[in-house]
Amino acid sequence: QVQLAESGGGSVQPGGSLRLSCAASDPTDSVNCIGWIRQAPGKEREGIGSIYSDGTTFYDDSVKGRFTITQDKAKKMVYLQMTNLKAEDTAMYYCAAENTNQWGCTVVTTELEFRFSGQGTQVTVSS
């Protein structure tokens, strides 16, 4: 099954930026939707965005305009560029994967129905 590994987390001041990376192992052709999920301390997990194999992206309102998801298929990498970070963005960030259609990619993100996910990388936004 697909294995996912996140990297790039760390501590940043409010207003700062970070780029998270998600590396996918073979068989990557078994998934076509990669999403990002986060869980803040004491809160439930939330799907914040995803990218479909054709490049279509979805973003939750909480990150729209600040976060950007891109992919490099040749490298089997997906990136989450985060800008204008806020304290409320502090969370463990996970990338996740599923095989679905374009609309389904949005659904699995909002409903947290990914079959595969990584171990997570911590992002802390604090002054």
Side-chain angles (χ1 to χ4, degrees):
Q1 62 182 26
V2 174
Q3 294 188 337
L4 305 167
E6 305 89 343
S7 61
S11 296
V12 64
Q13 293 185 340
S17 300
L18 274 178
R19 188 180 79 157
L20 306 184
S21 299
C22 174
S25 66
D26 290 327
T28 55
D29 57 357
S30 64
V31 295
N32 54 16
C33 171
I34 304 293
W36 287 93
I37 299 167
R38 68 184 180 185
Q39 185 166 23
K43 295 187 177 181
E44 295 185 352
R45 293 184 308 153
E46 61 173 336
I48 59 172
S50 56
I51 187 164
Y52 188 60
S53 56
D54 67 356
T56 302
T57 53
F58 160 77
Y59 299 99
D60 183 77
D61 286 345
S62 63
V63 304
K64 194 175 295 182
R66 300 188 299 123
F67 291 10
T68 304
I69 300 173
T70 58
Q71 61 184 353
D72 185 330
K73 290 185 178 181
K75 296 182 178 179
K76 299 178 182 178
M77 297 288 293
V78 171
Y79 304 99
L80 177 65
Q81 178 68 50
M82 305 183 293
T83 62
N84 190 22
L85 283 160
K86 307 175 182 180
E88 51 264 41
D89 294 317
T90 294
M92 184 71 80
Y93 284 71
Y94 304 87
C95 66
E98 184 53 80
N99 185 38
T100 181
N101 56 31
Q102 187 185 84
W103 170 244
C105 193
T106 298
V107 173
V108 298
T109 303
T110 57
E111 300 299 321
L112 301 177
E113 294 180 340
F114 292 99
R115 282 182 293 158
F116 309 108
S117 65
Q119 295 299 309
T121 185
Q122 178 68 38
V123 172
T124 302
V125 185
S126 174
S127 56

